[in-house]
Amino acid sequence: MITCGQSNERTDTSLQVKIEQLLTEARVVLPGAQALFGFQLAIVLTRAFDRLPQVSIVVHAASLFMVAIAVMMLMGPAPYHRIVYAGEDTEDMYRVGSALVMGATLPFGLGLAGDVYVVIAKISGSFAVGAVTGGLAFMFLTGLWYIYPIIVARGRK
């Protein structure tokens, strides 16, 4: 198990440190999401995009929308912290910020998986191969971002 060297003891982390970590995590993930979003926007302007099957165009549009939602959710905690609490650390800030950052992974994963479908379907020439690969990508991301951490957390209790 990847985490077998970790202690089962939890330390009390201050609210200030938790919020600082939360905002840092959002800042670390955000550039990748923004880069993907930029590539998704740019691809629409190419000739090859016009030659994609209609289903791939629709999946790409849905993926673009999902990544845009993820970017907005990742950007949300910082202004919320500044506007609502004037930069003060509160439990509500931590709760809302955590929900936004964790919640952003779902639309981000859907957006990534959708575009994996588009690319693999284009390369293979097969809707089915693209759909299976996109589905596997989403399952892998879900497992990595949600299922594995939940299993490890339950094992620590």
Side-chain angles (χ1 to χ4, degrees), residues 69-70 73-74 96-109 146:
I69 295 292
M73 291 175 77
L74 289 168
V96 170
S98 292
L100 286 169
V101 171
M102 281 298 301
T105 59
L106 183 61
F108 189 56
Y146 293 102

Side-chain angles (χ1 to χ4, degrees), residues 80-105:
Y80 185 81
H81 189 221
R82 290 286 168 214
I83 294 168
V84 176
Y85 295 107
E88 294 293 322
D89 298 332
T90 67
E91 285 291 335
D92 182 63
M93 166 54 209
Y94 183 66
R95 184 184 54 75
V96 170
S98 292
L100 286 169
V101 171
M102 281 298 301
T105 59

